[in-house]
Amino acid sequence: MDVLVTGGAGYIGSTVASALADAGHHPVVLDDLSTGRAEFVRGRTFYRGDIADAGLVRRIVARHPGIRTAVHCAARVVVPESVARPADYYRTNVTGTLELAEALSGCGVHDLVVSGSASVYGAGPDLAVDEDAPWAPASPYARTKAVAEQMLADLAAAGRLRVLSLRYFNPVGADPWLRTGPQQPRPGHVLGVLADCRRTGAVFPVRGTDYPTRDGSALRDYVHVWDLARAHVAAVEHFERALDGRRAQAINLGTGRGTTVRELVATFARVSGHPVTVADAPRRPGDTAGAFARTDRAARLLGWHAERDLATGVADLLGWLDRRPAVLAGISADPVGSPGFPGSTR
Ligand SMILES: NC(=O)c1ccc[n+]([C@@H]2O[C@H](COP(=O)([O-])OP(=O)(O)OC[C@H]3O[C@@H](n4cnc5c(N)ncnc54)[C@H](O)[C@@H]3O)[C@@H](O)[C@H]2O)c1
């Protein structure tokens, strides 16, 4: 199957493209390389450009008439940046998504699998959240994801589209074969900070030690990025079934298990073979105890559950950070809007 993958040069999108190709599909990548890497689309059918460029989207679909489904991963994703530059986030994540959806449905591509985010959920007394849990997005980034998801559901209800929103919890790790991974040398998320502490010997601060969790530290549901990618393949292959009779369906993607910060540190130390020095620190303003996913719907509708544990995610991230400089050897980018690296897929 030909599948359009927006954001396919980014962390999650490139992993999804690999999983689709490994499963025998043909990912057609659209990415503006604003944070994505040209090295991640080497050997792929790749178009460099903006998701909001309707003309380009139409040209891509005309050139690949086998495209029936699009996986929409492209977005701006950095929470502090979204606080400083909210307009850029609404422009890409909301307006860009609208333009993309309109352009696609205008040329006969009506089925969208979309990167959703568990950041839309509010903090409840029970740390487990199902898809009907109340929403309380806490940052401009999270609000753009919430608005985009609701907007797509409205378009779906009007009959233009069918939408599967896959709400990721906390993605970790890298492609297990280390083809791709987080682009930055020092990923900003907690595992990246731990890796940095290992490198520099810095003390790792456990921020918040009085949360209502097993050991008082905050809790997250860390899901391996390859497991996420496999879920997208299942969503593309079983789109109709996953909709379960609706035109828009949301599905949590997590492991169903919460891991506290202290447990994460212990796993990191065990896998890396380096003890990490920690210091208790006060909560950060706005932080919550966290959440983990209820995953019954993913099991029922996608036949999916996470297979890789946190230790594997840590090992793959560390493997990727070692390999990253060799992969990101600096391929020069193609001109905007032109097809780059056309032809073969893996
Ligand atoms: N990484 C996470 O922790 C996480 C958690 C939940 C949801 N998500 C969602 O997953 C998706 C992918 O995130 P990621 O972590 O891989 O981020 P990323 O920055 O690695 O990937 C985003 C990709 O989109 C591309 N892009 C951005 N704006 C574009 C535009 N206007 N036109 C074309 N391409 C554009 C970038 O170049 C990049 O390759 C996003 O929708 C994000 O909201 C990510």
Side-chain angles (χ1 to χ4, degrees):
M1 215 185 292
D2 289 356
V3 182
L4 180 67
V5 182
T6 74
Y11 170 46
I12 293 169
S14 65
T15 320
V16 170
S18 293
L20 284 166
D22 290 357
H25 302 294
H26 173 203
V28 176
V29 172
L30 168 61
D31 196 299
D32 68 358
L33 299 186
S34 50
T35 61
R37 298 290 305 220
E39 294 87 341
F40 289 179
V41 289
R42 191 171 7 191
R44 298 239 179 276
T45 305
F46 170 54
Y47 295 85
R48 183 176 179 188
D50 194 320
I51 50 169
D53 182 343
L56 174 60
V57 171
R58 280 193 291 270
R59 286 198 297 283
I60 294 172
V61 175
R63 201 152 161 183
H64 303 280
I67 294 175
R68 291 278 169 274
T69 310
V71 177
H72 176 36
C73 299
R76 291 176 179 267
V77 305
V78 183
V79 171
E81 189 183 61
S82 77
V83 176
R85 293 163 46 197
D88 290 344
Y89 275 68
Y90 280 92
R91 190 172 297 115
T92 298
N93 298 0
V94 178
T95 312
T97 296
L98 177 62
E99 296 298 334
L100 174 76
E102 288 278 278
L104 286 173
S105 65
C107 49
V109 180
H110 299 290
D111 292 349
L112 284 187
V113 176
V114 180
S115 297
S117 172
S119 65
V120 298
Y121 292 124
D126 178 358
L127 300 181
V129 291
D130 67 17
E131 290 82 356
D132 300 320
W135 285 18
S139 68
Y141 161 73
R143 283 188 280 278
T144 65
K145 298 303 286 185
V147 173
E149 193 179 317
Q150 288 173 319
M151 175 183 78
L152 290 173
D154 286 339
L155 296 182
R160 303 295 306 270
L161 292 173
R162 303 191 301 174
V163 180
L164 285 177
S165 294
L166 305 182
R167 295 185 190 147
Y168 315 155
F169 277 66
N170 298 85
V172 292
D175 173 88
W177 297 273
L178 306 183
R179 292 169 287 191
T180 59
Q183 299 93 308
Q184 311 85 347
R186 294 176 193 173
H189 55 60
V190 63
L191 263 185
V193 176
L194 275 168
D196 226 31
C197 289
R198 178 183 75 144
R199 201 176 51 80
T200 61
V203 173
F204 178 82
V206 178
R207 299 190 190 279
T209 55
D210 57 352
Y211 288 115
T213 61
R214 286 183 286 280
D215 58 24
S217 64
L219 167 151
R220 300 284 183 274
D221 185 339
Y222 299 102
V223 55
H224 197 292
V225 67
W226 187 254
D227 280 329
L228 289 184
R230 288 192 309 103
H232 291 72
V233 176
V236 165
E237 291 180 347
H238 306 290
F239 193 88
E240 185 86 37
R241 184 184 79 190
L243 282 172
D244 199 23
R246 306 174 60 153
R247 293 195 65 85
Q249 181 70 267
I251 302 178
N252 282 346
L253 296 182
T255 64
R257 284 183 302 279
T259 301
T260 68
V261 174
R262 292 195 197 286
E263 291 165 347
L264 177 72
V265 170
T267 302
F268 183 88
R270 181 167 55 79
V271 173
S272 67
H274 285 261
V276 179
T277 312
V278 300
D280 291 356
R283 295 180 181 195
R284 274 186 305 213
D287 268 1
T288 63
F292 63 95
R294 288 221 187 278
T295 57
D296 317 43
R297 196 178 286 178
R300 184 167 59 86
L301 299 182
L302 295 177
W304 175 91
H305 64 272
E307 291 175 349
R308 287 170 160 75
D309 63 9
L310 178 58
T312 308
V314 171
D316 288 341
L317 177 72
L318 293 175
W320 166 252
L321 291 177
D322 285 345
R323 184 167 153 71
R324 182 188 165 279
V327 174
L328 301 187
I331 293 176
S332 62
D334 279 359
V336 171
S338 74
F341 312 110
S344 69
T345 50
R346 292 185 56 260

